[in-house]
Amino acid sequence: RLLKGKAYAIVPDADWIYVPTLIVRRNATSAAMEGFTLEELRERKEPIPLPLVGFHGSTSRLLPLAGRELDNVVRFMRQHAGSRVNVIVNTNGPDDRQCYDIAMSRAISIRNYLAKQGIDADRIFVTAHGNIKYKKGLSPKEVEISFQ
């Protein structure tokens, strides 16, 4: 979700990935971000949220801004040919089956986007949690990734 009054910047090329997407506040004199190397990402126990990856309504159609953030994942994976990514999608709602189906459809949509950008589909795994984490009282991000 974008917040009004804030500017968002995307790092063009790097051999690390950052969490969360770099947010530069208006009139800020400096910006801080947390970056990770591939080795650090592989050791990281918690998945990385992708807060700018969103979808049109309850569909699996990516919002335009989602591509900007996913392009950073593409750049990172191109620079680390041995990297593999697991795309994790969570959805919230009362119907368990419907939540799972939407989450899987969205995860596949993200995999297709990455593959269209030249990332071998064998390097992209998908996981759909549906509403399981929400039912456990957790507050997961809708889209998260982890590296292997």
Side-chain angles (χ1 to χ4, degrees):
R1 237 177 244 143
L2 292 179
L3 302 175
K4 188 175 181 180
K6 299 192 184 224
Y8 294 83
I10 306 295
V11 175
D13 283 304
D15 61 353
W16 47 270
I17 199 161
Y18 49 89
V19 178
T21 300
L22 174 62
I23 299 174
V24 181
R25 288 175 176 74
R26 184 180 292 178
N27 299 325
T29 56
S30 64
M33 61 185 168
E34 185 177 8
F36 296 95
T37 65
L38 179 59
E39 293 74 27
E40 291 170 331
L41 288 170
R42 285 179 173 157
E43 294 172 4
R44 187 178 165 96
K45 296 192 186 324
E46 293 296 317
I48 298 168
L50 295 180
L52 299 183
V53 177
F55 303 89
H56 289 278
S58 59
T59 72
S60 61
R61 219 167 25 120
L62 289 163
L63 292 172
L65 190 57
R68 304 285 308 274
E69 185 152 60
L70 291 172
D71 287 345
N72 289 317
V73 175
V74 169
R75 284 185 201 87
F76 184 83
M77 291 186 75
R78 284 182 183 155
Q79 292 177 357
H80 297 280
S83 64
R84 294 173 184 248
V85 68
N86 184 24
V87 176
I88 305 156
V89 179
N90 302 286
T91 55
N92 196 5
D95 186 313
D96 295 350
R97 185 67 194 171
Q98 184 180 24
C99 286
Y100 174 81
D101 289 345
I102 290 171
M104 181 55 76
S105 178
R106 288 176 173 183
I108 290 170
S109 178
I110 293 169
R111 181 183 64 196
N112 291 343
Y113 181 91
L114 297 174
K116 284 181 184 175
Q117 304 306 313
I119 302 301
D120 187 349
D122 292 340
R123 297 173 58 197
I124 308 164
F125 302 96
V126 295
T127 303
H129 286 168
N131 61 358
I132 292 171
K133 289 186 176 181
Y134 291 100
K135 286 180 133 185
K136 291 182 178 179
L138 303 173
S139 298
K141 298 297 180 194
E142 184 175 17
V143 177
E144 303 169 319
I145 60 171
S146 62
F147 284 87
Q148 303 170 355

